[in-house]
Amino acid sequence: MSKKTDLRVKRTHKMIIEAFFHLVEEKGYDCITIQDIADEAMINRATFYAHFKDKQDLYEQIFDFAINAFTSVIDTEQIIVSNRIKVKQIEFLLTHIYINIQKNKNFFLTIMDGSSNELLRKKLADIIYEKYADIFSKLKITENDIEVPIDFIIEYMTSIFIGTLHWWITSDTDMSPNHLARLVIKLVGNGHLTVLGLEIDK
């Protein structure tokens, strides 16, 4: 594929996604047809099918993009070193994620709507569990002699993350991405990470 063709393919891909967002906002996911998307993106149906199998495939690819935007924050090896959490590193990465979300607000409003919100939270929890399974497996968490299940902690952390994010993009707040990142870290960091047996580098 030539560079020119490749750019054209990417541009069409982007136009389809933007058309989809616009239509979801206008009439809701269930009411949109492939023809609607094609008309909005000014392409024909065959071009749509060259990029996506169907509407569900388009949605899932967008959803995966969102998941990747979130999980880039936990892909970094430097976040936890010898059971010490590098808070500055997390703040930097989290701020970067929130900046990206702010730039693509409509996109994330679509992803965080209704049942998709629960699916997003579940996927994130699974990824966190997978990434940190080795660290979590070495820890036996007790709080006043009550053992705290790992999946309880993960559920709790992802709920804070998704809940605060949902508030941020649906409310009229002018809170900056960095302010939100610092606030979320404070919420999760105050005691909750130390309960995990992790020391926090301020």
Side-chain angles (χ1 to χ4, degrees), residues 51-70:
H51 288 262
F52 303 99
K53 288 202 290 287
D54 51 26
K55 189 171 77 167
Q56 185 61 27
D57 181 40
L58 165 59
Y59 180 80
E60 280 169 13
Q61 285 197 39
I62 290 171
F63 194 85
D64 286 343
F65 175 84
I67 286 286
N68 290 337
F70 289 129

Side-chain angles (χ1 to χ4, degrees), residues 55-189:
K55 189 171 77 167
Q56 185 61 27
D57 181 40
L58 165 59
Y59 180 80
E60 280 169 13
Q61 285 197 39
I62 290 171
F63 194 85
D64 286 343
F65 175 84
I67 286 286
N68 290 337
F70 289 129
T71 54
S72 60
V73 77
I74 54 173
D75 271 341
T76 310
E77 296 290 314
Q78 298 87 31
I79 286 180
I80 297 181
V81 181
S82 309
N83 273 18
R84 290 187 77 82
I85 287 204
K86 307 284 183 190
V87 170
K88 281 287 165 215
Q89 185 75 8
I90 295 180
E91 187 185 313
F92 172 76
L93 291 165
L94 209 47
T95 300
H96 189 65
I97 283 180
Y98 291 142
I99 288 168
N100 278 339
I101 290 169
Q102 204 173 39
K103 278 187 206 152
N104 302 281
K105 194 173 172 182
N106 292 343
F107 167 90
F108 283 96
L109 280 168
T110 305
I111 292 299
M112 299 190 78
D113 187 37
S115 58
S116 306
N117 194 33
E118 178 52 29
L119 187 60
L120 179 66
R121 204 191 53 68
K122 174 85 179 69
K123 270 201 164 191
L124 267 182
D126 289 347
I127 290 164
I128 289 172
Y129 201 92
E130 199 181 299
K131 293 265 178 203
Y132 293 138
D134 54 335
I135 291 170
F136 288 142
S137 65
K138 291 175 199 153
L139 306 169
K140 188 171 168 102
I141 303 161
T142 54
E143 182 64 22
N144 296 334
D145 299 328
I146 300 169
E147 193 168 336
V148 185
I150 296 300
D151 48 2
F152 175 90
I153 298 277
I154 291 172
E155 186 87 14
Y156 174 81
M157 285 163 74
T158 49
S159 295
I160 286 180
F161 182 68
I162 296 289
T164 51
L165 178 61
H166 188 269
W167 168 80
W168 189 57
I169 62 172
T170 54
S171 73
D172 288 330
T173 181
D174 55 1
M175 187 183 286
S176 72
N178 185 247
H179 186 164
L180 179 64
R182 291 207 311 273
L183 199 57
V184 169
I185 290 165
K186 244 188 175 46
L187 280 174
V188 178

